[in-house]
Amino acid sequence: MTIREKAAMMKLDSSKMASTDIAVRNAALEKITELLLAGKERIFEANAKDMERAQADNILPAVIKRLKFSEAKLSDAIAGIHNLIALPDPLFQIQLKRQLDEGLTLIRETCPIGVIGVIFEARPDAMVQIASLCIKSGNCAILKGGSETRETNKLLFELIYEAALSSGLPQGCLFQAEQRDEVAELLACHESVDLLIPRGSNAFVQYIITFILLVAAAAGGIFCGKKLRTKKNMESNTAGTGNQRYN
């Protein structure tokens, strides 16, 4: 199945994800912490393989430091999920209600974005953080991490996805893109992906922006209505967006 086909299926499931109760989403997050703890030895073994390969490939020391997924980083990731569980439901909260005229009321209410594509740097804890944020906020997510952490990310995603499904979230809630050539295909999924978040170096973010502009030009501007977030404002915007309606 191609990324485009998977994104289309996830788009159909995004309405189911948006309507899940906060208790179900929090249960999924709690289950993630349980599976991460239960599988921590397997996670550390997978990470050791990534570290060995990175050193053999002469990856820069600063990058290798980010690749390391230690006991301390696992504890921090789990603590972050528990903090997320403690937060109130970000969805369907009325932020503004104003009567414009008799029988005409403007209401701004938070709602999920839909399907989010996140391309992020080679840092295993980013996989846990991003997936957890998307689950809490009722969004489906396509996740593509750096290839330097492919063994660790693959196992982390398997555990997170297992927790999500076993807790009652829809099948299309999460998907992991693993191949480098899938990035270009993901960036072209403008019919199904509602938000793209490139998270990494400035050069990487500029590459994503340039590619999107080329797609927009080739499609006659069809991409102009899409949203693009970067690492700087990701955390404050993933939880939901304002949806204005008139009653």
Side-chain angles (χ1 to χ4, degrees):
M1 183 180 294
T2 66
I3 293 290
R4 188 181 294 273
E5 291 169 338
K6 187 62 181 180
M9 291 179 62
M10 294 177 74
K11 186 66 175 175
L12 295 175
D13 269 351
S14 63
S15 59
K16 298 177 185 177
M17 187 67 177
S19 63
T20 53
D21 189 80
I22 183 60
V24 175
R25 283 176 272 136
N26 280 342
L29 293 174
E30 186 62 48
K31 187 66 175 179
I32 289 171
T33 65
E34 294 173 6
L35 292 187
L36 290 179
L37 282 173
K40 69 177 184 178
E41 296 306 325
R42 291 166 57 207
I43 295 171
F44 296 151
E45 288 175 9
N47 187 243
K49 293 178 183 178
D50 287 331
M51 295 288 289
E52 280 181 28
R53 188 176 57 255
Q55 290 167 351
D57 292 342
N58 295 317
I59 300 294
L60 292 174
V63 176
I64 290 179
K65 184 177 180 181
R66 290 199 298 269
L67 302 183
K68 179 68 175 176
F69 196 60
S70 61
E71 185 91 42
K73 285 189 177 180
L74 175 61
S75 297
D76 287 345
I78 289 173
I81 296 175
H82 284 145
N83 290 338
L84 198 57
I85 293 172
L87 293 176
D89 190 356
L91 300 183
F92 309 114
Q93 304 299 316
I94 294 177
Q95 297 179 324
L96 179 148
K97 187 173 183 179
R98 180 180 300 160
Q99 184 170 353
L100 303 180
D101 203 345
E102 185 175 349
L104 181 62
T105 304
L106 172 65
I107 299 173
R108 186 173 69 201
E109 185 179 63
T110 59
C111 66
I113 292 167
V115 180
I116 300 176
V118 190
I119 307 167
F120 52 97
E121 70 274 34
R123 224 185 74 221
D125 44 334
M127 170 68 79
V128 180
Q129 295 165 359
I130 295 166
S132 300
L133 279 170
C134 289
I135 289 172
K136 180 73 176 190
S137 58
N139 288 292
C140 296
I142 299 174
L143 308 170
K144 175 64 177 79
S147 59
E148 297 87 352
T149 53
R150 60 177 176 265
E151 297 292 337
T152 314
N153 279 345
K154 181 178 175 61
L155 180 54
L156 287 173
F157 179 82
E158 288 174 357
L159 295 172
I160 292 169
Y161 189 58
E162 178 185 344
L165 293 189
S166 66
S167 301
L169 295 183
Q171 187 174 5
C173 61
L174 296 169
F175 177 72
Q176 182 189 16
E178 298 184 67
Q179 305 302 318
R180 188 182 296 272
D181 58 6
E182 290 177 327
V183 173
E185 191 176 355
L186 172 59
L187 297 178
C189 292
H190 49 79
E191 309 97 337
S192 305
V193 177
D194 300 291
L195 174 67
L196 283 167
I197 303 175
R199 174 171 165 160
S201 67
N202 288 334
F204 175 71
V205 172
Q206 287 303 314
Y207 162 75
I208 300 297
I209 292 173
T210 301
F211 188 95
I212 289 173
L213 291 175
L214 289 173
V215 171
I222 194 171
F223 207 81
C224 63
K226 288 296 174 185
K227 305 178 184 71
L228 176 71
R229 300 289 186 199
T230 59
K231 178 180 177 181
K232 182 177 180 181
N233 57 4
M234 173 190 166
E235 286 80 4
S236 62
N237 286 282
T238 306
T241 185
N243 182 38
Q244 294 194 163
R245 57 187 169 90
Y246 294 91
N247 288 345

